[in-house]
Amino acid sequence: QVQLVESGGGLVQPGGSLRLSCAASGLTFSWYRMSWYRQAPGKERELVATAATTGSTNYADSVKGRFTISRDNAKNTVWLQMNSLNTEDTAVYYCGADYFSLSYWGQGTQVTVSS
């Protein structure tokens, strides 16, 4: 059974940082493109960052230069380092794993940016 478990969310002040983690099990992690998504209240889920199996990364324009996605295939883990957070980054953040037609999601972790 595939499981993606996110952690590291919380309350942070504007300008602060958080590091999200996603631990995967039940799949061949190195085969999967790993991504972080987020969904703010009243908004659709949006793609934040992707780490391909090759190691290449892509980011939404709104987070470029502030967020960094990384993965360790030996640890079956993907991280999202978030710096210079602002109130617009408040959302539930989800980890996603994709391999051709297979897609899996974690349960999400709440990130709240507020003073």
Side-chain angles (χ1 to χ4, degrees):
Q1 181 179 0
V2 175
Q3 283 192 314
L4 302 177
V5 180
E6 301 98 334
S7 60
L11 174 64
V12 63
Q13 292 186 343
S17 298
L18 281 175
R19 190 190 195 204
L20 305 183
S21 299
C22 172
S25 60
L27 52 72
T28 305
F29 185 81
S30 62
W31 291 0
Y32 284 74
R33 180 183 65 187
M34 300 302 298
S35 302
W36 286 96
Y37 295 78
R38 67 186 181 187
Q39 188 166 18
K43 294 187 178 181
E44 294 186 354
R45 188 173 299 190
E46 64 171 343
L47 178 63
V48 174
T50 295
T53 57
T54 59
S56 65
T57 58
N58 282 288
Y59 299 91
D61 288 343
S62 59
V63 307
K64 279 181 182 177
R66 300 189 298 122
F67 291 10
T68 302
I69 187 171
S70 58
R71 63 187 294 167
D72 186 330
N73 291 340
K75 295 182 178 180
N76 286 8
T77 301
V78 61
W79 297 272
L80 185 68
Q81 177 67 43
M82 306 186 294
N83 299 328
S84 302
L85 286 161
N86 58 61
T87 56
E88 294 182 349
D89 297 316
T90 295
V92 178
Y93 283 71
Y94 298 89
C95 173
D98 295 283
Y99 176 69
F100 290 100
S101 62
L102 298 175
S103 293
Y104 302 100
W105 296 92
Q107 83 288 350
T109 185
Q110 176 70 47
V111 171
T112 302
V113 185
S114 175
S115 55

